[in-house]
Amino acid sequence: MNIAAPLTNPASAYAQKVFVLQGGGALGSYQAGAFQALREQNIEPDWIAGISIGAINASIMAGNVPGERLKALSSFWNKVTVHLPVDLLMEDRRETNPFYRSVSSWWVSTFGVPGFFSPWQLPTWFQTRGSAGATSIYDTEQLRQTLLDHVDFDRINHGPVRLSLGAVNVRTGNFAFFDNKEIKIGPEHVMASGALPPGFPAVKIGNEHYWDGGLVSNTPLTYVLRNGADIDTVVFQVDLFSAVGPLPQDLEEVEERRKDITYSSRTRLNTDLFLERHRLRRAISELYARLPEEAKADPEIKKLEQHCSDYGVTIIHLIYRNKQFRSHSKDYEFSALSMHEHWEAGLRDARKALVAEDWRMPPSAEDGLKVFDLDQRTRSRRHSI
């Protein structure tokens, strides 16, 4: 994880730069590696939206000054990884060795992850009904201190970066976003976004309890497109589960594929909804432009102006697709060796994606949206009015 000095900013043509970070547990260091590549190009976020482990990464980025973000991410990921006795023996073979993955995931399941979670000392069936210990397998309270050690929450709430964290209300089942434009963000909001049951307990905020937002949607892309992508915007969407994958050949691969499908982003659905909204706004723009000036002076008609669209959105979509590291336990395999592997994969993929030049200028207002995928190349989404 060598950190290079920033050089240029290929995203300078955009008025807004947004990082969108999916949930994925132990795979989350891939996002840190991708951020390192962005930092090398002097690309810093105006807005970061995250869910689950993406919310933790997002809070660390937003809660540190630009020059300290990589250092804080590296410190966090080194803290929440497990060093196993077999690491030296398996370093060259861990990617293809099922034994290493089994030992590592068993270790985490049994003993937890330092600075993150640990099994309750008293078994669940002896805990008071309705308590955190009775409704989860692990205690996550130590994560609160880890967050306080790595995140300046005063900076989050008074700094320049917008932060949005996705969770789900346990009682109503409704998706909820904690946004520092609307509320004061604290460690409990970050923990709520990553409180995946039944492993982790719900987090109480006010009078409500919240679970991991990935139960409803594992990506905050929809929230971003609906709640602020109304200027020329480039979105760096870093996903940890791929919707596309091979047909499973055994039960372990079935479970891995189930997770991939469940937690992968529905980017096509999200962009279709965005384009439908954009199409309407373009129609309003065309109509408003044809009105005589005296009509535009009418206060009621002038309200149409705020619904006009003269911007474009670009999405750079990075998806962790490491074919060598395949296991149903990949999202809770917190070994130090795997963490470094995920980080390097994110760094490599993001560097490759940023080399291209065709994404560096926003699409026209008529085009509305362009999506770039590292493996599938450009997907340009046009609309017609």
Side-chain angles (χ1 to χ4, degrees):
M1 290 181 285
N2 296 322
I3 299 174
L7 298 175
T8 59
N9 185 353
S12 58
Y14 293 90
Q16 179 174 235
K17 293 167 282 295
V18 184
F19 295 172
V20 169
L21 306 178
Q22 190 187 71
L27 299 172
S29 58
Y30 178 86
Q31 295 171 342
F35 175 71
Q36 180 178 340
L38 295 170
R39 175 63 181 157
E40 289 174 351
Q41 297 294 321
N42 202 27
I43 299 173
E44 296 288 353
D46 301 300
W47 182 6
I48 315 175
I51 289 176
S52 197
I53 197 66
I56 294 177
N57 284 331
S59 68
I60 294 172
M61 294 177 198
N64 283 275
V65 297
E68 295 295 320
R69 287 169 180 161
L70 275 176
K71 181 179 177 181
L73 283 168
S74 179
S75 174
F76 170 80
W77 280 102
N78 279 290
K79 184 176 182 63
V80 300
T81 52
V82 176
H83 295 268
L84 301 175
V86 296
D87 279 358
L88 292 178
L89 297 176
M90 294 293 178
E91 187 168 5
D92 295 331
R93 296 182 295 147
R94 66 186 184 281
E95 290 184 351
T96 56
N97 194 304
F99 173 73
Y100 180 85
R101 295 196 298 268
S102 297
V103 169
S104 179
S105 56
W106 171 85
W107 188 282
V108 169
S109 299
T110 305
F111 302 106
V113 174
F116 202 156
F117 61 89
S118 58
W120 292 103
Q121 293 184 356
L122 191 64
T124 297
W125 50 87
F126 292 128
Q127 300 271 9
T128 302
R129 181 175 171 81
S131 66
T135 55
S136 63
I137 301 170
Y138 301 101
D139 178 6
T140 59
E141 190 57 31
Q142 57 186 303
L143 176 59
R144 181 183 301 274
Q145 186 58 52
T146 300
L147 289 170
L148 292 172
D149 290 341
H150 291 85
V151 179
D152 180 350
F153 285 93
D154 185 64
R155 179 174 181 81
I156 284 179
N157 293 302
H158 299 96
V161 178
R162 183 176 179 182
L163 178 65
S164 307
L165 310 175
V168 59
N169 186 304
V170 178
R171 183 180 59 82
T172 66
N174 291 334
F175 207 19
F177 264 90
F178 308 122
D179 195 314
N180 65 352
K181 284 189 65 176
E182 302 172 355
I183 65 169
K184 183 178 180 180
I185 299 290
E188 62 276 10
H189 298 94
V190 184
M191 295 173 67
S193 182
L196 184 65
F200 300 159
V203 176
K204 186 177 181 180
I205 300 175
N207 295 321
E208 298 290 352
H209 290 77
Y210 295 90
W211 273 334
D212 191 310
L215 293 173
V216 176
S217 174
N218 201 33
T219 179
L221 179 61
T222 300
Y223 182 82
V224 167
L225 294 178
R226 287 180 177 176
N227 294 276
D230 50 7
I231 54 178
D232 284 340
T233 299
V234 58
V235 176
F236 297 94
Q237 179 183 342
V238 189
D239 288 352
L240 304 177
F241 294 96
S242 175
V244 178
L247 186 68
Q249 301 300 307
D250 56 37
L251 284 178
E252 180 168 339
E253 291 183 4
V254 167
E255 176 60 11
E256 182 196 18
R257 190 75 196 105
R258 182 194 67 80
K259 283 186 177 181
D260 285 345
I261 293 172
T262 300
Y263 295 119
S264 63
S265 295
R266 306 296 186 263
T267 300
R268 180 61 183 262
L269 173 62
N270 290 327
T271 54
D272 280 347
L273 292 174
F274 170 82
L275 279 178
E276 182 178 347
R277 176 170 168 262
H278 188 81
R279 184 182 303 116
L280 177 60
R281 288 193 167 211
R282 286 300 302 164
I284 294 173
S285 299
E286 293 288 334
L287 173 63
Y288 190 78
R290 296 179 183 182
L291 294 175
E293 292 302 319
E294 57 269 23
K296 293 179 182 179
D298 186 314
E300 291 301 313
I301 294 179
K302 192 170 180 61
K303 290 180 181 179
L304 289 174
E305 190 174 14
Q306 63 183 312
H307 298 293
C308 295
S309 171
D310 59 354
Y311 57 86
V313 173
T314 294
I315 298 175
I316 310 297
H317 195 189
L318 294 175
I319 308 173
Y320 193 11
R321 295 186 174 106
N322 191 333
K323 296 180 177 62
Q324 291 180 310
F325 194 90
R326 295 189 58 201
S327 169
H328 76 277
S329 61
K330 60 188 177 184
D331 55 333
Y332 62 93
E333 203 269 276
F334 277 87
S335 72
L337 294 177
S338 296
M339 182 276 288
H340 288 287
E341 176 192 312
H342 303 329
W343 186 302
E344 292 301 322
L347 177 61
R348 180 179 62 249
D349 288 353
R351 281 175 173 170
K352 184 177 178 181
L354 293 175
V355 167
E357 296 186 359
D358 45 0
W359 65 269
R360 301 187 180 191
M361 292 301 296
S364 67
E366 287 72 25
D367 286 341
L369 177 73
K370 285 187 177 181
V371 181
F372 295 83
D373 187 298
L374 177 66
D375 287 350
Q376 300 179 16
R377 304 306 175 194
T378 307
R379 302 196 303 273
S380 180
R381 311 289 309 286
R382 293 184 63 96
H383 76 276
S384 57
I385 298 177

